[in-house]
Amino acid sequence: QIGGEGAAALGGAIALAPNLKVLELRLNHIDDDGAAGLAAGLADVACALVTLDLRLNQILDRGAAALAHALNSNETLTELSLFYNGVGDNGAVAFAEALRANHTLRSLDLFYNRISDFGASLVADSLLHNTALKTLDVRENPIEGVGNSRLVSAWRRSGRSSEGLYLATSGGLPVPALLVVRLASSDDANKSHH
């Protein structure tokens, strides 16, 4: 377990390792300072990292915002997992902004964090300006009807495959996005017949 200081030091070395493509740092007690150090490495033009796994750490909004900001200039990272951290709406706002500028990230895992309808709605809006993201997982967040609806609508309007969107209900149970899209399509069809 490298902790925040170790992660910050590792961030400085990311740009010095052009062969480093995958970095798995799950269960390492990485905090916001560690995430900020990793973000500095991600933002370096020499960074070649493709996958960053930060599952099961202690990254909150400040660390998530630093990582999201790094995505504005990073052109290599395709997968980022922040599964089971403490990312809330401020982190989601930062990712929403980053998704408008980043055209490389294909998978963003925000499973089991603290993102509400507000953060989910902003991420949904950003999906209309980003065609690269193919997988978004927001299960086990306190997202309810409005956030889920906005995500499904934006996902569908941007022409993405519904298999790549993973939603949550207020009870935390996963909602297959394909089912939600089909239900929404049925509702649209029913409205046109009445």
Side-chain angles (χ1 to χ4, degrees):
Q1 296 179 351
I2 64 173
E5 287 183 21
L10 187 56
I14 288 175
L16 303 175
N19 294 325
L20 181 62
K21 304 292 183 195
V22 177
L23 188 55
E24 293 186 5
L25 295 172
R26 67 186 102 167
L27 277 170
N28 269 290
H29 299 287
I30 297 170
D31 58 12
D32 285 344
D33 291 334
L38 290 168
L42 282 176
D44 192 299
V45 294
C47 175
L49 204 60
V50 175
T51 300
L52 180 57
D53 182 351
L54 295 171
R55 287 183 275 178
L56 300 158
N57 281 290
Q58 300 158 1
I59 300 168
L60 305 175
D61 284 338
R62 186 170 56 85
L67 291 164
H69 184 70
L71 292 176
N72 288 327
S73 58
N74 181 283
E75 296 180 356
T76 61
L77 197 70
T78 61
E79 296 180 46
L80 176 60
S81 178
L82 287 165
F83 168 94
Y84 208 109
N85 278 274
V87 180
D89 285 336
N90 288 333
V93 167
F95 278 113
E97 292 171 2
L99 288 173
R100 290 176 183 266
N102 180 284
H103 299 289
T104 310
L105 193 69
R106 296 181 54 77
S107 176
L108 179 58
D109 182 359
L110 296 170
F111 187 117
Y112 213 112
N113 280 278
R114 300 178 331 194
I115 299 166
S116 74
D117 283 339
F118 176 76
S121 294
L122 292 175
V123 170
D125 292 343
S126 71
L127 294 174
L128 299 173
H129 305 279
N130 174 300
T131 58
L133 196 70
K134 303 299 181 199
T135 303
L136 176 63
D137 193 341
V138 293
R139 289 176 289 177
E140 298 294 334
N141 279 277
I143 300 168
E144 299 188 12
V146 171
N148 280 335
S149 293
R150 302 256 327 252
L151 284 166
V152 168
S153 175
W155 199 262
R156 197 168 80 177
R157 287 184 15 221
S158 61
R160 290 177 170 87
S161 167
S162 56
E163 286 86 14
L165 179 60
Y166 301 92
L167 303 171
T169 64
S170 59
L173 300 172
V175 176
L178 183 58
L179 175 63
V180 174
V181 170
R182 286 187 180 148
L183 290 173
S185 296
S186 296
D187 288 346
D188 293 345
N190 289 336
K191 286 177 188 173
S192 66
H193 291 297
H194 294 286

